[in-house]
Amino acid sequence: MGSVLLFLSALLPLPASAQTFTLSLPGTLVSAAGVTGPSGRPGVALLLAAGRDGKGAKSLLFFDPERRSLQRWIDNLHEETNVVAAFDLAGNGVASPLAGMPGVVFAPAGGGGSRKVLNESNVDLRSVAGVTAGRPWLPAAHTGLLELFERGPGGSGGALQHHGVYPLPVKAERQRWGLRLSSPPVTLLPGDPPLFAAGPQVAGRRRIETLLIPLDGTAQQEAWSLLPGEERLMYDRRYLRIDGVPVLAATSFDKIGVFAKKRFRLYVLGRDRSRKGSAPTLAVETDCPLWFPLDAASADADGDGHQDLVIVHPGGLQGKELLVTAYHGTGGGHFDSRPRHWKLGDQATDWLYGPDLTGDGIPDLLVLAGDRLLLYAGDPKGSRPLAGRPAWVASVPGAPKPDARDAGEGRPAEAPGPTRERVLTAHELPGGGRVVLVRGAQKDGRTVLTVAWRK
Amino acid sequence: MELNDTPGSRGRRPSLPVLLLAALLLSAVPVPLGAGRPSLSTLRTLSLDLPGAPAAVISADVDGDGHRDLVVVVAYNQWDEVAVTESSTMDDVKGLVEVMTIVPAVIDRREVRLYRARPDGSYEPARVLPLPLSVLGMEAGPPGTPVVALTDEGVSALRLDEGGALRLEPWIADPPVMAHTGNFLGDLKLIEDVDGDGIPDLLLPARDGLAVYLGRRKDRALARRAASRVPVPGEAWRSAADLEHRYPLPKIEDVDGDGRPDLVFRDPVKRWRSVWVARNAGEGKFLPAVEVVLGTGDPKGPNPVWVGDLEGNGLAEVVFRQSLDDSRRGSIRQEIEKVRDPHSRLTFHRLSRDLALEKAPYRTFDVTGHGFESQESEIELPGGFKDVNGDGRPDLVTITMDVGVAKVLGSLATKRLTVGLDFHVWCQQKDGAFRPVKGLDLSGSFRVDLNDLRISQLSLFSGDFDGDGKADFVQLGRGKRVTIHRGRADCSFPAAPDMAFDLKEEPRDLSLVQIRDLDGDGRSDLMVIQPKRAAEEGFAPPVRLDLYLSGGAK
């Protein structure tokens, strides 16, 4: 397997804890996952498309951030291949890449070839949200079913086999062209024990149903949440765990208007036999206009050992600010009502809260503003949750312009609600390193990555 | 000489001599416009209090007494008690003990209510049958099985016992594709006459294909065995965002000119860009579906927006639409203007008997307004092709909107919009040309739920209140006031209403109004769903169903 060293652009100033550099790819980036490379080194598996906009034949490359090298891994994957995931297929503790397309999963077979390790209709590795790396199974969901696949016999030459099947609720609707049968989105919550959440589904106007699917053999649980007033659920919905407690973070709105803002609701998810719905444990007004997305994350932002709640969203009518609010967790999904606030007076194209790139154990914030990538270090004890000045700034070639963004590969064009193109992704590497990739475009449509790497 | 044609049948037409005779009679006896036309009658009002929203309202003669009864399926939720049994440990007791806890819980309920029609036009008090969640849909069937329920197991017939009690009689064992979803769909529309014998048949969406159950001639009930099973073309699964399974259901229409209705499937992903046609092979059987590729989806080029028989000759035509508006993105105000008043060019192509698309269009004209769904939109507007003047050939209705920037921005989040709508009619002439009808004032202001826009719910042109076969225009959207403007042969409607009346309450939004014949007298009726205050927040509100029945006092 020949290694291909591609153009590595001018080295940017290296901060003490992370390195940043740019990397031109010989195709369009479709998907990435932190894996162990063919030679046993940690890195990132990159799934590339030959054509623009993620179309055309696919190939899998291994990117070694320490050596800044690219190595071909699988050539000529089917053009419908759309995702790469990390999985210990050989059972030796090594996270290898699996490339998936609807109905088929491939593994590298040496010499640039691939072999099918799963061939089952309706399996799509993109179908379950959440981080699956490090799990002994791979989840895939389709209408009516959540399926888990595990390593089968045969060591490194083995394939995937069924591990378990879990029913999902199905909703039927009549459309002009026929019947639409759908199940709610499925998320694997972070942390242990493994727990899947299917939902949320609005019942009537105010009740919200989540189906919790544990893997320990206990029964599925219906968790019901209740919107506090005459308000409607919006599209910012995320399942989190806070100090081990599963929660639903969501936004809602009451009245429509140019100056109307989103409301934030946090629900602890537990068994609700009455099905009436539980009130939120945190219900606050935000400064997020209705048309901008809002992110919620659970993280120990103040270093006290309890997970806090951090929400990030643009502010101002035109989104020319980025606002971060951190609520101090007091345990059990409850929070101190006096949050810490942080504001950036710049228009962000994309942002990512959570990766620790400064190495102090506190989550940091990455912001893409124009063609600059800025890292703001988390501040555990200050009056604001993040430092006032960026720890470093890197230029991002080919950065997307806000008015030129499109739906992007892997996201349906009709995805409802306020969304943004995610050009910032973080990947945990085997052995503890961390890589953040920022996707830019070259003139010919191929991807140029800005890489931030911490060993 | 007799007209050997059955009402509702397809494919058989009066012979040429019959038509000539009819024409001779018409020309021999001059008839002033409107003379001899059935008159509009006053409306009877009737209100039914329901514990929840009506999921289906069916007009059918359940008891076989010759009068059309009213069958209403209601869905609601209420507090009830559930028993929960758990194993637990207790002091001084060895091992586990079973503990039963009674928990108050919100439970989903469904029931079917039968209102038997009396000869005087009134209805008896409701007879109620609780429905299990395994009942997935209900609609009127052929007379021998007048109301059929789709269930997890297949199909049951709604029966009225001699003692006057309702029951579901299992009729067909063939689980549908949506079995065990627990959803009730009131708008399935699976009953159609697929063999052209005038007796309604059932197309059951089974997992292994679309099962055709014919209406039997001997007892005019549904057969218990499928005549055929048609593989469903274009079935699709997606698991990227929502997890979904798309199962196409066909439009039933003769498109190859053989006089027998065919199954026309739209691709659930490519929409009109691709259709499949399963040709009728007789006796409820169909040939394997063939794909007819109609377009590429290029947003700047002409795109197919409709397939069907425009000329009434049993052969299909395909209508392509191309926007004449500037495709470049403009300011919000310019974009809103495009939405309010879009301009487009329609080109009409014929499909041959072999289902080949003729390259050259046979007709082209420009229209203003929305008449067809956009490529990716699920929103259905009340425009499009429909037979307005009852001549058996579709006319065209388009809609322009009066909507501002603030309203549109608001509707993106709320999915609700109050919008002024104006309707424009293009009447199909004898030579197939479409002539715009001038001088219409059909505008109104409507509150609409963008999540729930269906053609059946915006049936402003679907009413025929005098039973003359021509669609009357029902003017809604002006508060409580409803006016009916009788349709004319030239597709026009008089500016002054032929009838006006006030609703008990202004409809909350347009989707809560339905226009159809509820009492089987051949004249349209009006049905308005009026939600009342829920007993408790988060619960389904009770509903008052207001019926405005044509035909006057009996």
Side-chain angles (χ1 to χ4, degrees), chain A residues 122 127 143 171-172 174-177 179-183 206 232 256 271 273-276 414, chain B residues 79 86 105-106 183 185 188 238-239 242-245 247-249 373 377-378 380 410 414 536-537:
Chain A
N122 300 332
S127 56
T143 311
K171 179 182 172 188
R174 181 70 157 98
Q175 303 281 342
R176 283 167 298 188
W177 42 261
L179 286 168
R180 179 177 185 266
L181 305 169
S182 62
S183 291
R206 294 179 52 201
R232 281 168 175 251
I256 292 299
R271 182 164 59 176
R273 289 165 169 165
S274 78
R275 307 171 84 232
K276 172 100 170 55
E414 65 269 34
Chain B
W79 280 111
E86 290 173 309
V106 182
N183 296 140
L185 302 179
L188 273 170
R238 299 209 312 190
S239 302
D242 276 354
L243 311 173
E244 62 173 354
H245 172 194
Y247 187 105
L249 291 174
E373 78 237 30
S377 171
E378 294 291 345
E380 192 157 354
T414 62
E536 193 174 343
E537 286 182 349

Side-chain angles (χ1 to χ4, degrees), chain A residues 104-271:
Chain A
V104 185
V105 178
F106 303 96
S114 63
R115 62 189 179 90
K116 285 182 189 175
V117 293
L118 187 71
N119 190 357
E120 189 153 337
S121 62
N122 300 332
V123 168
D124 191 328
L125 297 184
R126 299 173 303 171
S127 56
V128 175
V131 178
T132 61
R135 304 286 185 182
W137 31 255
L138 272 176
H142 52 93
T143 311
L145 280 184
L146 166 66
E147 295 183 272
L148 300 187
F149 297 94
E150 64 182 2
R151 180 181 65 249
S156 58
L160 293 170
Q161 65 181 19
H162 270 284
H163 175 75
V165 177
Y166 305 85
L168 295 174
V170 181
K171 179 182 172 188
E173 298 165 277
R174 181 70 157 98
Q175 303 281 342
R176 283 167 298 188
W177 42 261
L179 286 168
R180 179 177 185 266
L181 305 169
S182 62
S183 291
V186 179
T187 304
L188 172 62
L189 273 67
D192 285 311
L195 182 68
F196 289 91
Q201 284 188 300
V202 178
R205 182 158 173 164
R206 294 179 52 201
R207 295 160 69 222
I208 304 165
E209 183 185 7
T210 298
L211 185 69
L212 296 173
I213 307 169
L215 300 188
D216 59 4
T218 57
Q220 298 184 349
Q221 289 181 11
E222 286 181 16
W224 289 86
S225 311
L226 188 68
L227 288 168
E230 284 300 314
E231 54 193 70
R232 281 168 175 251
L233 197 64
M234 294 197 77
Y235 293 97
D236 316 288
R237 308 155 175 194
R238 188 139 189 220
Y239 288 105
L240 306 169
R241 257 188 171 127
I242 293 183
D243 293 338
V245 177
V247 298
L248 167 63
T251 59
S252 66
F253 72 95
D254 176 11
K255 287 179 181 168
I256 292 299
V258 173
F259 300 106
K261 303 291 194 298
K262 287 182 178 178
R263 295 169 168 181
F264 181 80
R265 307 313 189 205
L266 190 83
Y267 297 95
V268 171
L269 300 174
R271 182 164 59 176

Side-chain angles (χ1 to χ4, degrees), chain B residues 519-533:
Chain B
D519 53 9
D521 65 353
R523 300 170 183 232
S524 293
D525 309 300
L526 196 72
M527 183 175 87
V528 184
I529 299 165
Q530 292 289 3
K532 298 194 283 192
R533 195 173 186 80

Side-chain angles (χ1 to χ4, degrees), chain A residues 45-60:
Chain A
L46 303 175
L47 181 68
L48 301 188
R52 283 172 173 259
D53 302 327
K55 292 177 179 165
K58 303 294 192 300
S59 57
L60 191 72

